[in-house]
Every structure is written in C-alpha cells, then in structure tokens.
C-alpha cells in the first residue's frame, strides 16, 4: 500500500504565535491544567506564523498531522483556529486532559500512536517541526527528518524570573 507523504508540525510557537499569551499563565496554580487554562482559552486569537512550513505543506505533502501538548478540552478552539488560518491538517493529536507528562514523553507517545491509531506509518513522514530541540532530537532518533522552528524565544514552561523589589 502506498502512503502519502506526511509532515508532523507542532502548534504553539511553531505555527501559532503564542508569545502574547504566555503572561496569562498562572504560575501560582499547582495543577498544570489550571495553570495553563487562561493561556489555552486565548489560543483562538493567535497569529499564524512560519507560513513557509504551511506553504510547503500545501505544495509538497499530502497529509499534515498537528501534534500539540494542549489538552483535548481545548479541541474546539484549536480546530476553529486551524480552520480560520487555513492550516491543511488531516489529524490533530492532543494531550488527554489529565495527562501531565512532559512534552517530550507525550510527543514520543503521540508518534507511537500514528501507525496504530491513525494508520500512518513512520516511513511516510518526510519531516517534523517543533520549537523544542529535545523533541526534534527525539524525532531524529526515530529516523525522521526534523527541524527546529520557533516563532519566538519566550518560555512557556518555566515561571519568569521576578524583578528584585527596591525600597
């Protein structure tokens, strides 16, 4: 069976410019779901970035699979954003709501889901794009051509350093 050329693309900070939402992360919340809730709720207002990936996808591959660490609770917002931005995707693979694993482990699991749950063999994946070097390296260890693509360098995984208080 001949499988169509496929790419995997990350969402936040790879094709969606989420930098403006990062200050909405509530670092006081212990639960990761609660901590990122407002950040995820605002995802529908992101600008679309890295259009070179999407133009290449429209011209050179038959299938785009979006991997995101966003919880499934935000699927409607995410699908609407993808539709409005005309992102040509076939599958949107999201984090289960109570899955708080680190993104590297999560995306490794998502990659392993592709053949079994989505009928996508790894051999047809011609490229993968992510904003995190550790995830890019994980793809490469699975013999997938992978590229680091980041819209910005604002970190959404660690609290910002607070400014020293002056008297």
């Amino acid at each position: 069976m001949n499988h169509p050329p496929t790419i995997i693309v990350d969402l936040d900070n790879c094709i969606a410019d989420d930098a403006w939402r990062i200050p909405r992360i509530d670092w006081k919340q212990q639960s990761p779901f609660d901590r990122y809730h407002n950040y995820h709720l605002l995802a529908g207002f992101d600008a679309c970035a890295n259009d070179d990936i999407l133009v290449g996808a429209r011209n050179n591959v038959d299938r785009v699979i979006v991997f995101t660490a966003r919880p499934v609770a935000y699927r409607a917002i995410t699908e609407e954003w993808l539709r409005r931005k005309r992102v040509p995707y076939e599958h949107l693979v999201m984090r289960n709501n109570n899955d708080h694993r680190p993104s590297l482990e999560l995306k490794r699991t998502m990659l392993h889901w592709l053949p079994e749950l989505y009928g996508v063999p790894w051999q047809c994946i011609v490229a993968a794009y992510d904003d995190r070097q550790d995830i890019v390296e994980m793809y490469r260890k699975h013999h997938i051509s992978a590229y680091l693509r980041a819209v910005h360098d604002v970190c959404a995984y660690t609290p910002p350093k607070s400014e020293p208080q002056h008297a």
Side-chain angles (χ1 to χ4, degrees):
M1 182 173 189
N2 199 6
H3 293 281
T6 302
I7 66 168
I8 297 169
V9 63
D10 179 40
L11 192 52
D12 293 324
N13 195 25
C14 192
I15 61 170
D17 187 348
D18 67 332
W20 71 277
R21 289 189 285 127
I22 292 173
R24 274 63 171 196
I25 299 170
D26 186 353
W27 293 103
K28 295 175 193 141
Q29 296 292 330
Q30 292 300 311
S31 159
F33 190 89
D34 294 338
R35 183 180 312 136
Y36 287 91
H37 180 65
N38 289 332
Y39 165 82
H40 290 311
L41 279 179
L42 294 168
F45 301 101
D46 287 349
C48 190
N50 271 333
D51 209 33
D52 58 324
I53 294 172
L54 300 176
V55 168
R58 288 181 190 106
N59 296 330
N60 300 318
V61 299
D62 295 330
R63 181 167 43 197
V64 175
I65 299 173
V66 177
F67 278 5
T68 180
R70 282 185 203 168
V72 172
Y74 306 99
R75 179 172 287 282
I77 293 168
T78 304
E79 287 177 339
E80 178 59 19
W81 183 86
L82 290 164
R83 186 192 66 72
R84 280 188 292 110
K85 299 301 180 182
R86 295 185 176 90
V87 175
Y89 74 100
E90 184 169 318
H91 298 294
L92 171 62
V93 185
M94 302 181 79
R95 176 189 297 273
N96 289 323
N97 290 330
N98 294 314
D99 183 349
H100 303 300
R101 290 179 290 165
S103 291
L104 176 62
E105 187 179 336
L106 174 72
K107 289 189 178 177
R108 183 181 299 118
T109 299
M110 290 175 170
L111 182 62
H112 287 277
W113 285 343
L114 289 181
E116 183 180 335
L117 301 178
Y118 296 92
V120 178
W122 292 355
Q123 299 87 333
C124 72
I125 301 170
V126 296
Y129 300 91
D130 203 283
D131 67 320
R132 291 185 41 172
Q133 187 64 42
D134 58 340
I135 295 170
V136 167
E137 292 303 321
M138 179 270 299
Y139 289 133
R140 289 176 180 166
K141 285 179 183 172
H142 287 87
H143 308 289
I144 295 169
S145 296
Y147 306 94
L148 185 67
R149 293 294 176 105
V151 177
H152 59 76
D153 61 359
V154 182
C155 184
Y157 301 105
T158 56
K161 291 183 173 42
S162 59
E163 295 294 321
Q165 300 297 319
H166 299 286

